[in-house]
Amino acid sequence: MGIIVTGASGHFGRRAAELLLERVPARELILVTRHPAKLSEFAARGASVRRGDFDDPASLPAAFAGGERMLLISTDKVGGGRPAQHGRAIDAAVRAGVRHIAYTSFVNADVPGHPAISCSEHRDTEPLVKGSGVDWTILRNNQYSEALAEFVAPAALASGRWVSCSRAGRVGFVSREDCVAVAAVVMTTSGHAGRTYNLTGPELLSFGDAARLAAELGGRPVEYVEVDEEGRFRSWDAIGVPRHITGDMARSPLPWPSDEMVSFEVAIRDGYPVS
């Protein structure tokens, strides 16, 4: 049983590879990435590490050859043509003989009018997975708590301010680790075909709650500041985050453009991400 993991050098993909190695022999893993050198340790353990780029369709047939199941991790190119990227990967996987595709989506992605840019892209991708003609599983993950802990909270602690336009909206933040663990089980056990799983956290929290937790755990005061949408854009402008995706975002202090982050806070404000 060949198991393909796309985006395998990213946070989710790397951890998925680690957990899958606890469940299946390394020879059954096919780790696909634009940067194979980053996965040399997995190659040394016997996994097949292959170059595959969703923007280079010619690279995908060889990358997916021999795979029977695929964990399609949504790309990080938010607002930069993700559905087209995902579509190319799905088409190539089907032609390569993949029989089951599991896709990492987002809670409430199918709700019409969802304002988050990322959710509209998931809403466009899910039908491609379901209409592929092979077995499918949709993993609708809520907002990863690590995104706040690794990117937003450190900046808030440094500046003493947590700025948001989400008002009192709440979301069930979930650990990426838990979502990866579910994905690993889905890829290695039966009974998941045609299923959609909503993966969310145990408690609904606002960004104000998150700011208070950051202050408590960081040992420094953090003021929670509510602004309107344009004010939130200006706060990202001030630290050099581009409003729209530009290249690989290498010069940005955050991996996401501010139009996505502001649209996501608007969604939280209006209750959309809550599953």
Side-chain angles (χ1 to χ4, degrees), residues 157-239:
L157 288 167
S159 67
R161 300 172 79 245
W162 188 307
V163 180
S164 176
C165 64
S166 62
R167 297 181 187 169
R170 296 175 180 274
V171 59
F173 298 105
V174 64
S175 172
R176 182 174 59 223
E177 179 74 13
D178 291 341
C179 296
V180 175
V182 171
V185 171
V186 167
M187 297 308 294
T188 55
T189 59
S190 60
H192 308 291
R195 302 289 297 274
T196 296
Y197 296 115
N198 289 296
L199 309 177
T200 190
E203 185 178 5
L204 297 178
L205 299 173
S206 67
F207 275 142
D209 295 327
R212 286 187 286 275
L213 283 170
E216 178 183 343
L217 297 174
R220 301 184 66 176
V222 175
E223 178 189 8
Y224 181 66
V225 181
E226 270 291 351
V227 296
D228 60 15
E229 292 169 43
E230 184 54 36
R232 192 60 175 126
F233 273 117
R234 289 195 297 270
S235 72
W236 293 126
D237 293 343
I239 62 172

Side-chain angles (χ1 to χ4, degrees), residues 3-18 20 30-34 39 52-54 64 69-78 82-83 85-87 89-90 93 100-106 122 125 129 137-139 141 144 176 179-181 183-184 187:
I3 299 175
I4 302 167
V5 179
T6 70
S9 59
H11 292 297
F12 196 109
R14 179 179 290 272
R15 186 57 180 146
E18 291 171 350
L20 286 168
I30 300 170
L31 306 181
V32 177
T33 174
R34 291 173 297 167
L39 297 175
D53 185 341
F54 293 178
F64 296 161
R69 296 186 176 189
M70 182 169 81
L71 175 59
L72 175 58
I73 299 173
S74 52
T75 72
D76 59 3
K77 201 172 182 180
V78 180
R82 286 203 298 177
Q85 290 181 317
H86 299 153
I90 293 165
H100 188 165
I101 298 173
Y103 171 66
T104 60
S105 185
F106 193 80
H122 291 306
T125 299
V129 178
T137 305
I138 304 296
L139 304 172
N141 303 332
Y144 299 144
R176 182 174 59 223
C179 296
V180 175
M187 297 308 294

